[in-house]
Amino acid sequence: MKLRNSNLDKLANDDFDVLIIGGGINGASAAAALAGKGAKVGLIDRGDFAGSTSMHSSNLVWGGIKYMESKDFALVRKLCKSRNHLIKNYPSTVEEIRFLTTIGKGFRHRPSYLYAGTWLYWLMGNGFTRIPKLFSPEGIKHAEPIIDTDKAVGGFEYSDAYLHDNDARFVFNFIRHALDYGARVANYVESNGASFENGRWTIQARNVIDGNTFPIRAKVLVNAAGPWVDQHNKLTGQKTEYQHLYSKGIHLIVPQLTDSKRVLAFFADDGRLFFVIPMGNRTCVGTTDTHMDNPEVDVTQDDVDFVLENINKRLMLEKPLTAADIISTRCGVRPLAIKASKGSDRGFLQLSRKHVVDTNPDSAHISIFGGKLTDCLNVGDEIIDEVQRLGVDIPFPDYKWYGEPPEAMRQEFMQQADRMGLDEMTPVTSSEPLSKRLWRRYAAQALDMLEQIREDPSQGELLIEGTEYIRCELRQAHRSEMITKLDDFLRRRAKISLVVPHEQLQHSEGLREACRMLFGDEAETRFNEYFDTAQDITRFTRYATTNVSA
């Protein structure tokens, strides 16, 4: 808690160029961009970083192929370029992956027509990925025997990308970069409103953990509250050109359905794309698209039934998936940006996930509407431009604020890891060598972790049974990842609670030890707090298993 407490003091006592409300992907990338280029930045989130929409994604980083049908080619081109940029700059995290799409009889387009579209998609992405491929039903069956091709007329395969790790972890790495660049950041701090007087904002902040209130002062206020942007704008009296509609999407995490490293794509009964996505030793299945009136949502039995029914129609499994197979769920809303003048009755199924930066120069206020993981670097760059237009000096305009460390540093890490035999210490439950895992998750900080393991080999031992977490990772999390509640670790810095059954975690001695490392004297309190409040999928049914990648 030292890091958080230190940042709370700075937030209360310093004056900032920019204060960002919200630590999802939009706020995190904006903070990293601004701090990296030398602005004095603060960021608060009323929950944990990536605690809403940004932790409920499909983990896909894609160029928006579905927008080809609506002929939104400018958006597709932009997203494809953004996807390519992420693959190049985060090669350990954002990886190209093949999408095998099966077309059923009676679908509105022939496979050959859609296949031609994938070539256009490939060209709009500058031919950056592997070329598309056309499949007959027999070819699909040969590639993926679990697909039911009895009612298929063909299909195609093309490339996009996905996050090898967790979406929330990807967001936190931007938060970590912002901290490294000097930003003052704190989770569990809410804004109760703000006023703009004499060219400066004063934000009324409240520490959610202890209830203490304090002011934060900044020249520019950026509202990056995700689905709650409209609500915070009402608190500050902002009039904006855009507003949000909400679409709920859920995913089910189930045992691994296929060990191939590709996404299986179908068109669900409602006509939208439906995915089977690899997640280490698990599989993520979804999604739904349900119009909602507000951002507070939960998984319903109808949602579960829809996903299970659609996947069982399209796969030939030894036995159909049932609620008994569900390990965990993802459930969040997509905040869809629309013109405020268009009203709230526009069909959200036709809306894209584009982001919009809405600036009020009279009050030095910026709102970020919509957005998706794929577009995060563009959001950061656009916020820099807007902040500059509002009169804030950017000391290092040419500094590259994103990306993994230089290749020479990665090579140095890998050479050191090889000399000490790190990969030979990889737990048998792991889905990848320790060297690859540590570099992807911690980059330059992984060098210090090698030193910890050299000094004390027990730091390389598995800590939480059924996962991939080793002891030195918990030390790193305690020191530099601002973990305030157990869910911050289990769900967002890691994906443990996504892939390990709730009951198994509750009886894990390794998790209790992890709690002691993270929270000290408060370990038992935090452990009980989590299991008293965390969603247990046993409200649908109970599933137990072991040995997963987390």
Side-chain angles (χ1 to χ4, degrees), residues 193-253:
S195 58
F196 184 72
E197 295 180 2
N198 301 320
R200 186 171 296 275
W201 282 96
T202 301
I203 296 88
Q204 301 303 320
R206 175 180 172 270
N207 184 342
V208 174
I209 301 301
D210 62 16
N212 289 336
T213 60
F214 58 93
I216 305 176
R217 295 168 296 277
K219 297 175 185 176
V220 175
L221 180 61
V222 176
N223 181 358
W228 292 275
V229 164
D230 296 305
Q231 287 87 328
H232 195 271
N233 280 341
K234 289 180 181 178
L235 287 177
T236 57
Q238 292 296 308
K239 302 292 184 183
T240 57
E241 185 179 358
Y242 285 83
Q243 64 183 35
H244 277 144
L245 288 182
Y246 306 111
S247 168
K248 181 177 77 168
I250 78 146
H251 296 87
L252 306 180
I253 313 303

Side-chain angles (χ1 to χ4, degrees), residues 493-508:
R493 307 300 182 272
K495 62 175 185 287
I496 291 172
S497 63
L498 279 176
V499 297
V500 180
H502 186 87
E503 185 176 6
Q504 183 178 328
L505 285 176
Q506 196 165 11
H507 295 92
S508 167

